[in-house]
Amino acid sequence: QVQLVESGGGSVQAGDSLELSCVASGRTFSTLPMAWFRQAPGKEREFVASISWSGANTLYADSVKGRFTISRDNAKNTVYLQVNSLNPNDTAVYQCAQGQAGGNTKTLRQGLADYWGRGTQVTVSS
């Protein structure tokens, strides 16, 4: 059974930083691309960032470029999202997603994921 479990969210002030984590189990982690998405209240889920199986390739949404960094540790079956310079527009539930075999950072950006976590809430106040 595949599980993706996110953690690290919280309530912070504008300008603060957080590190989100997603631990995967039940499937070979090191050969699959991973991604982070977010969904704000009343809005559709949107792509945040994706990373290739090796970590060599990454993609970011324009809204987070320069502020967020995605990384992974294949030895720990974990993908991270470092979020800096947070603003109220970043308030959302952040979910990690595991890509398809043969997929890549671009296919994940389109939402082509096999598994999704339940998410961790990030709330940013001004």
Side-chain angles (χ1 to χ4, degrees):
Q1 180 182 359
V2 176
Q3 280 193 314
L4 303 176
V5 181
E6 301 94 336
S7 63
S11 296
V12 297
Q13 299 288 318
D16 284 351
S17 300
L18 288 170
E19 183 181 64
L20 309 183
S21 300
C22 170
V23 180
S25 61
R27 194 180 184 200
T28 302
F29 177 81
S30 61
T31 62
L32 298 167
M34 298 291 295
W36 287 93
F37 287 75
R38 66 185 181 185
Q39 187 166 20
K43 295 186 177 181
E44 293 186 356
R45 183 167 57 198
E46 65 170 347
F47 169 79
V48 175
S50 57
I51 188 167
S52 61
W53 65 270
S54 67
N57 298 307
T58 57
L59 279 178
Y60 294 93
D62 288 344
S63 59
V64 307
K65 276 182 184 176
R67 298 190 300 124
F68 291 11
T69 302
I70 189 171
S71 62
R72 66 190 295 160
D73 185 338
N74 286 343
K76 296 182 178 179
N77 286 1
T78 302
V79 60
Y80 304 96
L81 187 68
Q82 178 68 38
V83 296
N84 298 328
S85 302
L86 286 163
N87 62 66
N89 290 330
D90 296 317
T91 294
V93 174
Y94 284 71
Q95 291 177 281
C96 69
Q98 190 170 66
Q100 302 169 337
N104 54 46
T105 55
K106 295 178 181 179
T107 57
L108 262 178
R109 182 173 59 184
Q110 299 168 31
L112 296 176
D114 279 346
Y115 297 98
W116 298 83
R118 297 185 66 177
T120 184
Q121 176 72 46
V122 173
T123 303
V124 185
S125 56
S126 58

